[in-house]
Amino acid sequence: MQALFGIIYHFIGGVASGSFYIPYKKVKGWSWETYWLVGGLFSWLIIPPIVAWLTIPQFTDIIANAAFSTLFWIFFWGLLWGIGGLMYGLGMRYLGMSLGNSVLLGFTSAFGSLAPPIYYDLAGIEGKVTFTQLVQSTWGNVVLLGVVLCLVGIYICGKAGFLKEKELPEEKKKDSVKEFNLKKGLIVCIVSGILSAGFNYGIEAGAALADSANEIWKAANPDAGVNFLFRNNVIYVVLLWGGLSTNLVWCLILNLRNKTFGDYTNTKAPLRKNYLFCAIAGTTWFMQYLFYGMGESKLGNGASSWILHMAFIILVANFWGFALKEWSGVSRKTRRTIMLGIGMIILAVIVVGYGNSLHN
């Protein structure tokens, strides 16, 4: 039953992540950097501490008493993730919800599985799973198989993108994705997918904070036989400071370069609606990690939880991609190609999750 609840929570989180960009499409008269920053302030600065305060009343004490090194590494990974998150928005602009998310999240899944073991091997850190162990163990080989399948799926999705670009005239491609640009989009999504895995590393780096929240909750609920549902919420506060720093600096630079500071008070734009849709988008974005933490507390497997989270996002994002007619007008061959690529990535995610479950 605990596992079932964990899967349900991850599904809700996937729906939130795969859907959060939709309200941005309702914003009128603002540049990308303006609505991305306004929505981001809700995602990274306003909502996380409110949720932490509602669920962990002592969250400020936990952060204040944490070791500096712990806070530094949480913030560091948040900073790198912030670059990936920033480029996520660009990826959606250039490729759309379906192709963009498939490529980006495919790389996030693959890199999130391989980067830590390689680092632990090179750094000689004990007590961690290394790349050598992956190669020499059955469960590790399953994980590596999943990574290979993921890369194959990304290649197939990329091929579908090339077919789409070749088949459709410029005006048709931009009916659903106004700034469609395959080359820029693929580069942005690859880099973003790699850096976005930093969020998972940040959660791992902040395990001590989550453990403190868990201990406080168990002390107040001695009869509880499960982990605290909201224990990760205290990590998000610090982790998202890193994301805020990256995105704030870059968006303000773009505001200055593009002379778009006037967007925030431009009465020619529907300001109330714009701020409302940005608030909805930003809040919805954060909900993915609220439910991710809830799902992880039930499944008790960070690696498999991350993979499951990615799978649900890919499914939901592609639902929106097809609903928004991003593949309208393409041939059956192209449509079959993107479906095959999506299916391959989802299969890869399942295989990686299965490999991690064998280990645990």
Side-chain angles (χ1 to χ4, degrees):
M1 185 60 71
Q2 294 298 316
L4 177 60
F5 277 117
I7 293 171
I8 292 173
Y9 291 143
H10 279 305
F11 173 73
I12 297 173
V15 171
S17 180
S19 306
F20 88 92
Y21 205 82
I22 301 300
Y24 284 136
K25 294 181 177 292
K26 298 292 184 179
V27 175
K28 307 295 181 183
W30 276 5
S31 61
W32 175 85
E33 58 268 21
T34 301
Y35 68 71
W36 185 255
L37 179 56
V38 173
L41 290 175
F42 284 89
S43 301
W44 313 311
L45 184 65
I46 298 173
I47 301 300
I50 291 176
V51 172
W53 175 71
L54 290 171
T55 55
I56 311 172
Q58 296 169 278
F59 83 96
T60 53
D61 294 334
I62 294 174
I63 294 174
N65 294 326
F68 173 78
S69 60
T70 299
L71 297 178
F72 170 80
W73 284 112
I74 297 173
F75 182 84
F76 171 78
W77 289 118
L79 204 66
L80 291 185
W81 164 82
I83 299 174
L86 176 66
M87 299 182 81
Y88 174 92
L90 294 174
M92 297 308 102
R93 286 171 64 189
Y94 294 142
L95 295 184
M97 295 287 290
S98 179
L99 181 59
N101 273 289
S102 296
V103 174
L104 192 154
L105 295 175
F107 269 99
T108 299
S109 300
F111 196 78
S113 299
L114 285 184
I118 292 174
Y119 168 73
Y120 297 143
D121 235 341
L122 295 174
I125 297 176
E126 296 182 1
K128 296 289 187 178
V129 175
T130 65
F131 186 73
T132 300
Q133 288 176 290
L134 288 178
V135 173
Q136 296 177 346
S137 63
T138 301
W139 75 269
N141 287 330
V142 173
V143 170
L144 292 176
L145 172 62
V147 172
V148 171
L149 290 174
C150 191
L151 294 176
V152 172
I154 293 169
Y155 169 78
I156 295 173
C157 287
K159 183 178 180 180
F162 280 107
L163 291 173
K164 176 182 178 181
E165 185 176 53
K166 184 178 179 179
E167 291 175 359
L168 300 181
E170 199 66 25
E171 62 274 11
K172 183 65 177 178
K173 284 183 288 188
K174 295 185 177 182
D175 280 347
S176 57
V177 184
K178 294 181 180 180
E179 300 177 68
F180 184 83
N181 188 308
L182 185 64
K183 292 181 180 179
K184 283 185 179 179
L186 288 177
I187 293 171
V188 165
C189 283
I190 288 170
V191 176
S192 176
I194 292 172
L195 293 179
S196 292
F199 201 98
N200 200 30
Y201 308 156
I203 293 175
E204 183 176 342
L209 273 65
D211 290 341
S212 296
N214 200 40
E215 290 170 6
I216 292 172
W217 181 78
K218 284 194 171 183
N221 300 271
D223 297 329
V226 295
N227 287 320
F228 183 34
L229 199 60
F230 304 111
R231 59 182 182 171
N232 280 358
N233 288 353
V234 65
I235 303 176
Y236 299 150
V237 175
V238 181
L239 186 58
L240 292 173
W241 286 340
L244 171 65
S245 302
T246 307
N247 284 266
L248 177 65
V249 170
W250 181 242
C251 287
L252 290 179
I253 289 174
L254 289 180
N255 278 145
L256 182 63
R257 179 189 299 173
N258 299 329
K259 299 179 181 180
T260 53
F261 273 112
D263 285 353
Y264 302 103
T265 56
N266 182 11
T267 55
K268 293 182 179 180
L271 290 179
R272 289 185 180 180
K273 288 185 177 180
N274 283 0
Y275 279 108
L276 174 62
F277 284 124
C278 286
I280 293 172
T283 303
T284 302
W285 179 92
F286 179 76
M287 289 299 105
Q288 68 170 306
Y289 288 115
L290 171 65
F291 284 98
Y292 172 83
M294 294 165 65
E296 188 185 35
S297 72
K298 293 297 184 183
L299 293 180
N301 187 328
S304 292
S305 284
W306 182 252
I307 293 296
L308 188 61
H309 183 66
M310 293 295 107
F312 280 132
I313 297 174
I314 292 170
L315 279 172
V316 175
N318 277 287
F319 165 80
W320 281 115
F322 281 97
L324 293 171
K325 300 181 179 180
E326 292 178 355
W327 296 94
S328 177
V330 300
S331 66
R332 289 185 178 181
K333 178 183 177 181
T334 300
R335 191 177 287 267
R336 285 197 300 265
T337 302
I338 186 61
M339 292 298 293
L340 177 62
I342 294 167
M344 187 68 73
I345 292 174
I346 293 172
L347 174 62
V349 166
I350 294 171
V351 170
V352 171
Y354 176 66
N356 279 301
S357 67
L358 290 178
H359 174 58
N360 288 280

